[in-house]
Amino acid sequence: MFDKAVVCTDLTADSASLVACAAGLSSVGVREVVLTHVVDVFSDNPDGPDVGQEQGHAFERQIETLETSGLQVRVEATVGFPAYSLQDITRRHGASLIVVGSHGKGIYSTPFSGSVSSDILTFSDTPVLIVSPAVLSRPDAMACQHLLGHVLCATDFSECAQRAFDVAAGLVDCGARRYALMHVQDSTHLAGESSAVIAEFDRKDAVRLNELRECLLRLGADEVDTEIVFDSPSEAIASRAESGRYTLVIMGSHGRSRGGGQSTLGGVSDSVVKRSEVPVLLVPEAAVMQGNTTEAEVL
């Protein structure tokens, strides 16, 4: 599924926890990691790509963590705007996944926008796995080893959500067998609609969800639950992400706006990442996963 991942580090204790989690990514097919440290050009004291002795030791420890788990490791260190630099590194190495923490120092926070993970998603054509502080604070750092236990895939049936479903479907080959498919009817947007109109939306969306369910079952999944919720998408998906029922949340990095186009980042996905108790995989519409074309693409 994902054979090569770019893992972002700022060489702090927080990023050591992220690297420890990333060491378990062989569960989704990762065999090689590009351990990347980007010194933010917008920071007060960019120190260049040559790290000091203490940071060098941190790099060595993180490399050892990854290699001990059986992963091949390459190292990149540079100065730049992290979102652009990470995309450049991802493309040069042909990586299919970017792994970041959702907040912290250095690579995780910048005066430019306040959120490097958000900036990465703005420019990325590669899926981004975001690991929250709640996950990184756990002493066992096992979350990335158990990503496939129970996968929640949230969809609004947009093109971006279709790409996210394609990624979710591709995980069946990696061993994912238990899924939950979720669609949220936005209660704010439907507040003025009659019960008959809402019922018709529910009927059509139930058919769509069932088609996605049947696709996963044909691919080899054992259990696929479906759910339609009338609520705020941010609240409904975030509450499930923090419930402890799932091991991975997958969704498109952008959803539908009220006008039918794409909404900006910082809405639903931001709320889900902030509250999630498990890693969140955000998939941009431009993402194309080799060997992962599903029957659902023609639906």
Side-chain angles (χ1 to χ4, degrees), residues 189-212:
H189 294 173
L190 296 176
E193 301 290 352
S194 67
S195 58
V197 169
I198 294 174
E200 181 61 13
F201 276 128
D202 284 347
R203 185 192 68 79
K204 290 180 178 179
D205 291 337
V207 171
R208 286 175 163 182
L209 276 185
N210 190 61
E211 289 172 339
L212 297 180

Side-chain angles (χ1 to χ4, degrees), residues 13-246:
D14 284 343
S15 67
S17 297
L18 176 66
V19 169
C21 190
L25 288 175
S26 58
S27 64
V28 293
V30 174
R31 297 292 178 266
E32 183 177 344
V33 163
V34 183
L35 185 61
T36 303
H37 175 49
V38 181
V39 177
D40 188 359
V41 72
F42 293 105
S43 67
D44 293 333
N45 298 298
D47 55 6
D50 294 327
V51 299
Q53 183 176 8
E54 183 176 346
Q55 291 177 312
H57 290 324
F59 240 144
E60 291 173 0
R61 289 192 296 270
Q62 293 182 6
I63 292 169
E64 182 179 3
T65 296
L66 295 166
E67 289 181 336
T68 299
S69 69
L71 297 170
Q72 298 180 10
V73 183
R74 297 175 183 267
V75 174
E76 286 268 2
T78 188
V79 175
F81 174 39
Y84 288 125
S85 297
L86 288 169
Q87 269 304 296
D88 176 64
I89 291 167
T90 299
R91 289 167 181 162
R92 283 195 288 105
H93 286 274
S96 51
L97 181 68
I98 298 173
V99 183
V100 298
S102 60
H103 86 302
K105 298 179 180 179
I107 192 66
Y108 307 125
S109 181
T110 168
F112 185 77
S113 71
S115 173
V116 167
S117 56
S118 179
D119 289 334
I120 292 168
L121 286 161
T122 299
F123 303 115
S124 181
D125 54 10
T126 304
V128 180
L129 183 69
I130 302 181
V131 188
S132 71
V135 176
L136 295 179
S137 64
R138 296 173 189 166
D140 56 7
M142 297 288 284
C144 292
Q145 296 183 30
H146 301 296
L147 290 176
L148 304 184
H150 194 181
V151 179
L152 171 64
C153 183
T155 180
D156 61 1
F157 305 113
S158 63
E159 288 298 319
C160 195
Q162 179 61 59
R163 297 282 77 75
F165 176 78
D166 292 343
V167 170
L171 294 175
V172 174
D173 285 341
C174 296
R177 293 293 180 268
R178 189 181 181 198
Y179 287 84
L181 298 173
M182 178 184 185
H183 173 64
V184 183
Q185 303 283 27
D186 193 327
S187 56
T188 301
H189 294 173
L190 296 176
E193 301 290 352
S194 67
S195 58
V197 169
I198 294 174
E200 181 61 13
F201 276 128
D202 284 347
R203 185 192 68 79
K204 290 180 178 179
D205 291 337
V207 171
R208 286 175 163 182
L209 276 185
N210 190 61
E211 289 172 339
L212 297 180
R213 175 180 181 273
E214 291 300 318
C215 177
L216 289 173
L217 291 173
R218 284 193 294 269
L219 289 171
D222 295 328
E223 178 183 339
V224 184
D225 297 321
T226 62
E227 182 181 23
I228 296 177
V229 181
F230 187 80
D231 199 350
S232 157
S234 294
E235 176 58 33
I237 302 172
S239 66
R240 284 155 181 77
E242 67 180 350
S243 68
R245 292 161 54 189
Y246 306 103

